[in-house]
Amino acid sequence: MFRALVAGLVFGVLAGAPAMAQANEADIARAAQLFPSTLPLKERHAKVMQYASGQLGTAEEQRAAGFALVGLCNDDQYGPSCLQVGHSFISLGEAYDASAYNYFDKACGLGEGEGCSERAILELDGYAGNAPDPQKALAGFLKGCELNNGPACQHAGWSYREGSGAAQDFTAARGVYEKGCRLDAAEACFYSGFYKRLGRGGPEDNAGAWQDYVKGCDLGNASACNNLGVMQEHGVSRPADLAGALASYAKACEGGNKNACNNAGIFAHYGKGGPVDLAKAEANYRKSCELDYAEGCYNQALMSWNSKTDLPAARQAAEKACRTEHVAACNLAGVMQLNGEGGPKDVASALVNYEFACGKNEGIACSNLGAVNYSGLEGNPVNYPAALSYYTKSCDLNYAEGCRSLGLAHENGMGQTPDPVKAYQAFQKACTLGSPNGCHKQGFSLYTGAGVASDPQAALVAYGKGCDLKVGASCYNLGLMAYFGQAGAIDKAKGRDYYRQACELGEAGGCERYGWALRDGEGGASDAAGAAAALAKACSLGRASACTQ
């Protein structure tokens, strides 16, 4: 279970490993000559390992080194040699696990914490026909931790965290993780910081979490780098540092942390901690998606869909995220499937994805289902009751455009008598939620008294919101009201400026009236050239009356 996490000197299949199973007289003589007993144990062990690892010597000398390594353990009781003999047997495969266990056990008894940890891993997983023994494994991890082996502390933390070999105990887990971090076990630093950040197993300690994450990141733990970035981004324990957060996210992403790749993508996309870099943003989102992070897939899909740069990739990413039940991605996948973007039309799949997302309270998906039923899109029959139900749910979920669509449906009657009161209520909510055209429709209702008492002053406010949100028709209506004093005193200068704004937003009537104001010098100085340009634009936008002036 933990084999891939073990820290320490592991040489793989040592060149001298076969000699530990069988040695001849030549091996014995060669070992005595190369590694005389007069050498101090530490020096002799180091020399043996150079040969046994294949760094030095002939094949025969390397074989002799394997025999000498066993001798250092069995005859000289040298713990590091016992540990390496155990690793060598592990490298030979499961058939040698019992031998490996014995040497790890011996190393542990000689004070090698890593030997205790390695023995415990075999006990935890089960070896040589022995059933897994989590209690014995935990005891071994704790012994290794007591002997200051960082990975052993880390593994003991796992046992306490998961309730393996003992009842789940976050306090104990936090203690051994903290010690493991002090002993330079990178993953222990991550968990020690994580527990301190959450206040799990003890009091919240953001300053301590910061220090543990820094150390874990320096030791190469990508999750620690990511969590450090989060603290830097949000100014937890220390002032916010966006550039530092970006560096932490980038390092974590390089280390394969899927969350960090997505975070680095967001920073590059929106210019946080550095300049906007759309290519880097897309690359980071893509890597996050490749690492199976649904949010990264969704961000990749949304970015590519908005820019129309790689619609097939966008669709694939949206569909991938949707398969993990990412509701926003399911809606986007539905949009692309319904419209045939990035691949063939797939109306059936689109409707399934809309239904799923709406069922998970994704307001825009409910609105999209309303549109399908209201208009009978893609061969689906018109179904006004279903449309009303979906639009209502979308609005109840505070999706602004869903409220606007609900207002239009009530305004048009959906095959029944129009209901201007409900229409106004929906437009009002749409505007409150930030729908530009919802504000315009609210303003129109207030001006005309449709579903609400006529109130030109309130209409000005609603139109003002619509104009600020770049609705040309709202700016145009504000111009009319100011120009003709429909909500107060006549103010042709203000009216002319609203006409200008409307024209800039592509509103044909605004261009025409702006041209008239410039031509006639109303609300400001006359400008024949400007008038001609405005009227020409109005004509190009389909305002026939402007074409002959």
Side-chain angles (χ1 to χ4, degrees):
M1 181 178 295
F2 290 115
R3 187 66 55 197
L5 302 178
V6 172
L9 191 62
V10 182
F11 289 92
V13 180
L14 298 183
M20 290 182 288
Q22 181 180 359
N24 55 38
E25 292 298 326
D27 293 327
I28 296 170
R30 196 173 289 113
Q33 180 182 7
L34 286 171
F35 317 111
S37 59
T38 54
L39 285 176
L41 287 176
K42 184 175 182 180
E43 184 177 339
R44 194 174 357 145
H45 173 79
K47 186 175 182 182
V48 165
M49 291 309 298
Q50 285 183 306
Y51 281 83
S53 64
Q55 297 177 53
L56 296 176
T58 64
E60 291 78 9
E61 290 170 335
Q62 291 165 2
R63 179 181 174 85
F67 173 76
L69 189 64
V70 174
L72 276 165
C73 173
N74 291 339
D75 300 333
D76 296 292
Q77 300 291 295
Y78 190 60
S81 295
C82 297
L83 179 65
Q84 293 309 322
V85 173
H87 280 310
S88 298
F89 275 118
I90 284 291
S91 73
L92 294 174
E94 291 184 2
Y96 292 89
D97 277 357
S99 296
Y101 181 90
N102 290 334
Y103 280 101
F104 287 143
D105 182 58
K106 191 165 189 175
C108 178
L110 292 170
E112 293 296 318
E114 186 179 339
C116 303
S117 182
E118 289 293 294
R119 182 192 69 189
I121 290 172
L122 288 168
E123 291 165 342
L124 184 65
D125 291 344
Y127 70 98
N130 293 286
D133 191 338
Q135 288 181 317
K136 204 170 181 181
L138 175 56
F141 291 142
L142 289 173
K143 177 66 174 177
C145 185
E146 182 183 321
L147 290 169
N148 294 325
N149 178 261
C153 299
Q154 180 174 294
H155 301 334
W158 176 89
S159 294
Y160 282 127
R161 186 181 89 227
E162 298 298 322
S164 175
Q168 189 177 60
D169 187 340
F170 292 134
T171 301
R174 177 166 168 166
V176 289
Y177 277 140
E178 187 169 11
K179 181 174 181 180
C181 183
R182 291 198 302 270
L183 294 168
D184 295 338
E187 187 172 317
C189 290
F190 164 71
Y191 277 108
S192 180
F194 185 69
Y195 277 33
K196 290 173 184 177
R197 180 81 176 87
L198 295 181
R200 180 176 293 173
E204 184 178 306
D205 179 6
N206 287 324
W210 180 289
Q211 292 173 349
D212 289 342
Y213 285 150
V214 167
K215 185 169 184 179
C217 185
D218 288 343
L219 290 168
N221 184 274
S223 295
C225 295
N226 179 69
N227 286 15
L228 174 61
V230 172
M231 294 184 77
Q232 292 169 316
E233 178 182 358
H234 297 288
V236 179
S237 181
R238 302 186 185 188
D241 177 6
L242 295 183
L246 176 57
S248 296
Y249 289 146
K251 183 174 181 180
C253 182
E254 289 173 6
N257 184 279
K258 60 187 180 182
N259 303 68
C261 293
N262 182 62
N263 291 337
I266 292 170
F267 269 49
H269 196 167
Y270 298 103
K272 296 178 69 174
V276 171
D277 188 334
L278 298 182
K280 185 174 289 186
E282 194 278 337
N284 284 324
Y285 288 148
R286 186 182 297 271
K287 183 172 181 180
S288 178
C289 185
E290 289 169 353
L291 292 167
D292 296 329
Y293 187 46
E295 188 69 16
C297 294
Y298 174 65
N299 285 337
Q300 177 198 345
L302 188 62
M303 183 179 182
S304 295
W305 182 70
N306 282 331
S307 64
K308 308 303 179 189
T309 51
D310 190 346
L311 290 177
R315 179 159 165 175
Q316 290 172 8
E319 290 174 342
K320 180 177 181 178
C322 182
R323 287 194 292 273
T324 67
E325 300 191 352
H326 188 293
V327 293
C330 289
N331 177 70
L332 179 56
V335 170
M336 299 188 77
Q337 291 161 343
L338 191 69
N339 296 331
E341 296 177 289
K345 276 182 177 286
D346 186 351
V347 177
S349 293
L351 296 180
V352 168
N353 286 329
Y354 283 157
E355 287 283 2
F356 171 78
C358 180
K360 294 292 185 178
N361 295 331
E362 183 73 3
I364 188 173
C366 299
S367 181
N368 288 339
L369 283 170
V372 169
N373 284 279
Y374 184 77
S375 303
L377 299 177
E378 299 298 334
N380 289 277
V382 171
N383 187 336
Y384 289 135
L388 178 62
S389 176
Y390 285 124
Y391 282 145
T392 299
K393 182 174 182 179
S394 177
C395 188
D396 288 344
L397 290 169
N398 294 326
Y399 178 59
E401 294 306 320
C403 293
R404 181 187 65 83
S405 296
L406 177 61
L408 291 172
H410 282 306
E411 184 179 64
N412 295 332
M414 294 184 295
Q416 301 179 16
T417 303
D419 190 334
V421 174
K422 289 184 178 179
Y424 172 76
Q425 291 170 347
F427 292 144
Q428 182 183 41
K429 184 173 182 180
C431 183
T432 300
L433 293 170
S435 166
N437 284 301
C439 292
H440 178 73
K441 293 297 294 183
Q442 183 191 9
F444 187 78
S445 296
L446 286 164
Y447 182 76
T448 61
V452 65
S454 179
D455 187 343
Q457 291 296 329
L460 281 177
V461 174
Y463 280 145
K465 291 180 181 178
C467 184
D468 289 342
L469 293 169
K470 310 300 183 186
V471 179
S474 289
C475 300
Y476 176 59
N477 286 356
L478 286 172
L480 291 172
M481 293 178 76
Y483 208 80
F484 295 104
Q486 294 172 339
I490 291 174
D491 188 337
K492 292 190 175 184
K494 184 181 287 188
R496 173 167 152 167
D497 190 57
Y498 280 130
Y499 291 151
R500 175 191 60 77
Q501 292 181 57
C503 184
E504 289 174 354
L505 291 168
E507 174 62 36
C511 292
E512 182 178 45
R513 286 196 171 272
Y514 183 49
W516 291 352
L518 290 172
R519 181 194 64 191
D520 300 336
E522 291 191 319
S526 60
D527 180 352
L535 291 169
K537 183 174 181 179
C539 178
S540 70
L541 290 169
R543 193 79 164 186
S545 56
C547 299
T548 58
Q549 299 181 52

